Amino acid sequence: MQIYLPIAELSVNAFLLLGLGGIVGVLSGMFGVGGGFLITPLLFFIGIPPAVAVATGANQIVASSFSALLVHLKRKTVDLRMGSVLLAGGLVGAAAGVTIFNYLKSLGQVDLLVNLCYVVFLGIIGGLMLIESLNAMYKTRSGKRPPRKKHTWIQKLPFKMRFRVTGLYISVIPPLLVGAFVGLLAAIMGVGGGFIMVPAMIYLLGMPTKVVVGTSLFQIIFVAAFTTMLHATTNYTVDIVLAVLLLIGGVIGAQFGTSLGTKLKAEQLRILLALLVLVVCGKLALELLLQPAELYSVGFTS
């Protein structure tokens, strides 16, 4: 069943879009990521223009993340205070990211920037997560005790705040910076930033894994919604028809993903996420390196 997307200006199979939204919803529930790192490249692959994919992908993240967040709120695995600090930084970063996105769009370089950002960040994050997760699994099987956490430079920073749910007493500066960086990526790449936020919350901030997923989803919802609003009012690149189809699939998939996530160990979840990130990175890298079927394209500029 073909359906016409007015902003993207092409026809796409409606069931294909529902399926893509469902897949991303499952990932959102399992890993605590918005799924934008996957949905945006997938939209590239089916022919959606990058500017439309980035803006509309951010919109889809809101629904799939909200659906998964409800489950975590019931389980009381969300640190609302930490999430609020991350959110404050995220809103500032998102505003700066949309400004950069608009400038590069005016130069005609936004498509290349988005693809390069995906290849670089997905490659680095996926590789580091895979190595760390394999090491953690090896130590667990060999019976070695994990090393005790040492005090790092983060404990020495000022403006400390107590986060009771996570059991942390740390400076608000690192969470603010992490949130701002994730917000910047959300605006430029159309991602929730969970694939960077989740590792940062675990390894940089020292948060327990069981609280990380829900807290990450809390921040992602508001940053993605804010990013979508900015893109819609400044770029006019949010395709409502595309967004609705992705939303329906995402909400349904998130419920299944949350259930699946509880059945796997933390190390197994991180390995699966790392492998998925690397697969998407490899596909995008090939798209950039291989010679396209059509060397030239004709378009109109306003």
Side-chain angles (χ1 to χ4, degrees):
M1 185 178 78
Q2 297 292 115
I3 190 167
Y4 182 71
L5 306 177
I7 303 300
E9 298 182 338
L10 78 161
S11 296
V12 183
N13 188 292
F15 294 110
L16 174 62
L17 295 177
L18 287 170
L20 293 181
I23 292 171
V24 172
V26 170
L27 296 175
S28 177
M30 284 182 67
F31 304 119
V33 298
F37 75 93
L38 182 62
I39 194 66
T40 307
L42 289 176
L43 291 176
F44 293 168
F45 300 153
I46 64 174
I48 306 296
V52 177
V54 167
T56 309
N59 181 72
Q60 189 271 348
I61 292 165
V62 177
S64 60
S65 298
F66 181 74
S67 179
L69 177 65
L70 292 177
V71 180
H72 286 282
L73 285 172
K74 290 179 182 178
R75 296 175 181 166
K76 298 181 179 179
T77 53
V78 181
D79 189 328
L80 294 177
R81 176 173 284 191
M82 176 65 79
S84 299
V85 174
L86 291 167
L87 175 59
L91 295 178
V92 175
V98 170
T99 303
I100 296 171
F101 186 92
N102 291 342
Y103 175 69
L104 290 168
K105 187 181 177 185
S106 67
L107 297 178
Q109 299 297 320
V110 71
D111 292 6
L112 178 61
L113 171 75
V114 171
N115 280 286
L116 285 175
C117 282
Y118 268 102
V119 171
V120 171
F121 282 108
L122 293 183
I124 293 173
I125 297 298
L128 291 176
M129 282 186 67
L130 182 62
I131 293 171
E132 189 280 334
S133 299
L134 289 173
N135 285 336
M137 187 172 287
Y138 169 74
K139 290 176 181 177
T140 302
R141 289 185 176 180
S142 61
K144 294 182 180 179
R145 291 185 177 181
R148 295 181 63 181
K149 291 184 178 180
K150 299 178 180 179
H151 287 284
T152 61
W153 57 272
I154 292 179
Q155 271 75 29
K156 300 178 183 179
L157 295 175
F159 309 111
K160 290 187 177 182
M161 181 182 291
R162 189 172 300 281
F163 301 95
R164 299 189 183 281
V165 177
T166 55
L168 296 178
Y169 181 62
I170 60 172
S171 169
V172 297
I173 296 175
L176 282 172
L177 293 177
V178 170
F181 185 61
V182 168
L184 186 71
L185 293 182
I188 295 176
M189 299 170 64
V191 298
F195 69 95
I196 287 181
M197 178 170 288
V198 170
M201 292 164 77
I202 294 172
Y203 306 123
L204 184 63
L205 304 182
M207 291 176 60
T209 304
K210 66 176 183 178
V211 185
V212 164
V213 174
T215 308
S216 171
L217 290 170
F218 173 80
Q219 191 263 8
I220 286 170
I221 289 171
F222 293 100
V223 170
F226 181 65
T227 301
T228 301
M229 183 185 69
L230 290 180
H231 277 300
T233 54
T234 59
N235 295 324
Y236 311 107
T237 49
V238 177
D239 194 306
I240 297 299
V241 178
L242 175 60
V244 169
L245 290 171
L246 293 174
L247 286 174
I248 294 171
V251 170
I252 297 171
Q255 300 301 315
F256 290 101
T258 306
S259 299
L260 287 172
T262 58
K263 298 176 182 178
L264 295 173
K265 295 180 180 179
E267 293 83 4
Q268 294 173 328
L269 282 173
R270 295 204 293 270
I271 287 177
L272 288 174
L273 180 58
L275 291 173
L276 190 60
V277 167
L278 290 174
V279 168
V280 175
C281 172
K283 172 65 175 172
L284 283 170
L286 285 175
E287 292 282 332
L288 286 175
L289 294 173
L290 295 179
Q291 181 174 307
E294 297 180 4
L295 297 178
Y296 302 97
S297 62
V298 179
F300 298 94
T301 56
S302 56

